[in-house]
Amino acid sequence: MVEPAATWHRLHPLSPVIRAGRILVGAGIVFAGTLLQGSSRSESGAITRVVIGVLVIAFGVISWLVTRWRVEGKDLRIETGLIRRSSLRFPLPQIQAIDVVRPLLARVFGLAELRLRMGGATAGSARLAYLTASDADAVRGQLLALARGIQPETEDSPERVLVRLPIGRLIGSLVLGSPTVTILVMAGAIAFAAELSPRAAIGILSSSGAIAIGMITVIWRRLNGAYDLTVAEAHDGLRVRSGLLDTTAETIPRGRVQAVRMVEPLLWRPLGWCRLEVDVAGRQHRGGENNPERRQLRAVLPVGSHQEAESLLERILPDAPRERTRPPSRARWKAPLRFHNLSWGHNERCAVTTTGRLARITSWVPLTKVQSLRLVQGPAQRGLRLATIYLDTAGHSVHAAIRDRDADEAREQLRELTVLCRAARAAHPDVAVVIGQR
């Protein structure tokens, strides 16, 4: 087992193979086709491709040789680079979440990638790709322990499973999801056009093919990402594991969630289903080596009942407010489609807002995570004496807003929320250090 002590460690020797997996697979297909040909031209082309493949592997090996990591005090230090040396330090107290990711090729070799999402003014991601699966789990536990200022445990503590996602419910949610509905609407439009004019149907099919492929890709990603999802509670926080081909095991430490969002799509509501997502500061990486993952929300419950969502919410944000108030009736003139969903509430620890036109969206924001409060009045709102208060957090993905309130009430609530946020941050001074200032 790798011990993250003050000594330098290297990544697994097969790391270059995993990183260049797609390139190597493609090169293997090219080589196979070249070997079947016997002309001199094909032989020269094969030599060129072999040289390119050797260079790709050589660069990967050099990158592995010049990359090392260790823990210095409460910092994770990663050094890399041959000509231009880079030494990065990641403060462990700023860890927002730790993921253990196992792409399909890495699973074949028993390897895993460790990703640390960081908070702070320069939130980023630290990556150790790749370690053995057992070492990745051990290092994750030890880094979380060091981040909390306690001694690392040699054995993993027991965990209590909170939610398991049935595969039937997941498939049902995908069938009733917007990508599937979009594909069905497109298919119906093409079939209707084919009855009127086959030539027009061919034109529609060719122009909408890219959209259909995009929707199918979205459906596959949701299936692959939420397959066999398990949410468990342990001493180091909330553990979320899921994946079909590429598996992910994420650990979200307590107190690191910036906001929680519950989405109730229109077609799910008759079945009583909803989706619960958490917003964590920092960015992840997926796919390519340096491609930032724009989506920061993590679905801790891709589809489930309201009872399951409330149970998870109680673990993530204990004592979340339940009582909410509606906006004045004149707000219906400004937002006729959204008015029936608008409401908000708060207590001394958390604020909750509800909005949405077709899908109902409920957002909970801990007052300790609020970075700024904004009161906004548009032209229509000024005419109706309304105003909206925005609660900004470091997560940037959940946009909680107290929409279309009476202007005088909004100003009073802005003053009250400012006092409550200051009191909450004073009671938890470590939060300001973890997430930084914007």
Side-chain angles (χ1 to χ4, degrees):
M1 180 182 71
V2 174
E3 295 290 341
T7 57
W8 287 105
H9 304 282
R10 293 196 182 277
L11 303 174
H12 195 276
L14 290 177
S15 297
V17 178
I18 309 302
R19 289 183 174 181
R22 294 181 180 178
I23 299 177
L24 294 175
V25 171
I29 296 175
V30 172
F31 295 158
T34 303
L35 293 175
L36 296 178
Q37 299 176 0
S39 64
S40 58
R41 182 178 300 178
S42 65
E43 291 178 359
S44 61
I47 294 174
T48 302
R49 297 183 182 98
V50 168
V51 171
I52 294 175
V54 170
L55 289 177
V56 170
I57 297 175
F59 279 122
V61 172
I62 292 173
S63 175
W64 172 77
L65 287 173
V66 299
T67 301
R68 59 181 185 172
W69 66 274
R70 72 179 181 184
V71 173
E72 295 181 350
K74 289 191 176 182
D75 293 341
L76 173 64
R77 183 177 173 184
I78 301 177
E79 287 191 351
T80 187
L82 178 61
I83 299 175
R84 187 175 180 178
R85 196 69 176 167
S86 174
S87 181
L88 303 176
R89 292 178 180 269
F90 300 91
L92 297 181
Q94 292 187 8
I95 290 177
Q96 302 296 303
I98 297 183
D99 307 343
V100 177
V101 183
R102 301 186 67 190
L104 180 60
L105 188 57
R107 293 173 63 185
V108 172
F109 293 100
L111 303 181
E113 175 187 350
L114 204 64
R115 300 177 184 174
L116 286 74
R117 276 193 279 175
M118 313 300 295
T122 57
S125 176
R127 306 175 67 248
L128 296 177
Y130 289 83
L131 307 172
T132 64
S134 59
D135 284 346
D137 291 333
V139 173
R140 178 199 61 183
Q142 292 168 348
L143 291 179
L144 286 171
L146 292 172
R148 299 198 312 273
I150 63 176
Q151 290 297 322
E153 298 183 3
T154 57
E155 296 183 0
D156 196 11
S157 62
E159 59 183 30
R160 186 164 69 94
V161 175
L162 302 176
V163 172
R164 293 186 187 274
L165 179 59
I167 183 61
R169 186 192 299 169
L170 174 60
I171 294 176
S173 69
L174 295 176
V175 171
L176 296 177
S178 56
T180 305
V181 173
T182 301
I183 293 176
L184 293 177
V185 170
M186 291 171 54
I190 293 172
F192 180 75
E195 291 292 332
L196 299 178
S197 172
R199 183 174 299 178
I202 295 175
I204 297 175
L205 181 62
S206 61
S207 61
S208 60
I211 300 176
I213 293 174
M215 294 296 101
I216 293 174
T217 302
V218 171
I219 294 173
W220 163 249
R221 287 179 177 175
R222 291 182 179 179
L223 175 63
N224 184 54
Y227 182 83
D228 196 28
L229 179 134
T230 302
V231 182
E233 188 178 36
H235 74 285
D236 52 2
L238 206 64
R239 298 180 179 178
V240 185
R241 293 187 293 270
S242 64
L244 179 58
L245 298 182
D246 300 341
T247 63
T248 302
E250 180 176 359
T251 301
I252 305 175
R254 290 182 177 86
R256 295 300 193 258
V257 173
Q258 303 294 317
V260 180
R261 184 173 75 174
M262 183 172 69
V263 182
E264 301 171 81
L266 181 64
L267 297 179
W268 289 12
R269 251 180 268 169
L271 300 174
W273 289 351
C274 62
R275 181 171 68 251
L276 194 69
E277 303 167 325
V278 297
D279 193 10
V280 180
R283 287 186 178 272
Q284 289 180 316
H285 288 74
R286 74 175 180 181
E289 289 299 304
N290 298 305
N291 293 330
E293 182 180 283
R294 295 182 179 179
R295 180 185 59 83
Q296 294 179 340
L297 291 176
R298 177 46 155 129
V300 294
L301 184 63
V303 54
S305 65
H306 283 83
Q307 182 178 359
E308 291 172 328
E310 291 177 1
S311 176
L312 283 177
L313 179 65
E314 181 64 26
R315 298 296 189 281
I316 301 171
L317 295 178
D319 302 323
R322 295 183 178 275
E323 296 184 1
R324 305 170 200 173
T325 59
R326 305 267 307 163
S329 58
R330 63 181 181 274
R332 189 188 302 271
W333 294 99
K334 190 259 180 183
L337 299 179
R338 186 186 294 169
F339 177 80
H340 65 287
N341 283 327
L342 292 180
S343 65
W344 93 284
H346 78 288
N347 55 27
E348 296 179 354
R349 294 167 297 278
C350 183
V352 57
T353 66
T354 303
T355 185
R357 295 180 176 87
L358 296 179
R360 185 187 301 129
I361 302 174
T362 305
S363 303
W364 291 267
V365 178
L367 298 184
T368 55
K369 304 297 184 181
V370 175
Q371 300 291 286
S372 64
L373 294 163
R374 296 179 290 128
L375 188 144
V376 178
Q377 271 189 306
Q381 288 179 316
R382 284 196 295 270
L384 294 171
R385 292 178 289 109
L386 302 173
T388 297
I389 300 175
Y390 290 92
L391 292 81
D392 302 320
T393 68
H396 304 295
S397 294
V398 173
H399 305 285
I402 307 170
R403 297 184 180 276
D404 299 332
R405 310 300 299 190
D406 179 82
D408 294 333
E409 176 198 351
R411 295 186 185 94
E412 180 62 29
Q413 291 297 338
L414 180 64
R415 288 191 290 268
E416 182 181 355
L417 286 173
T418 301
V419 173
L420 290 175
C421 289
R422 287 174 178 170
R425 293 173 73 87
H428 300 84
D430 59 309
V431 174
V433 176
V434 170
I435 62 178
Q437 299 292 337
R438 297 199 304 168

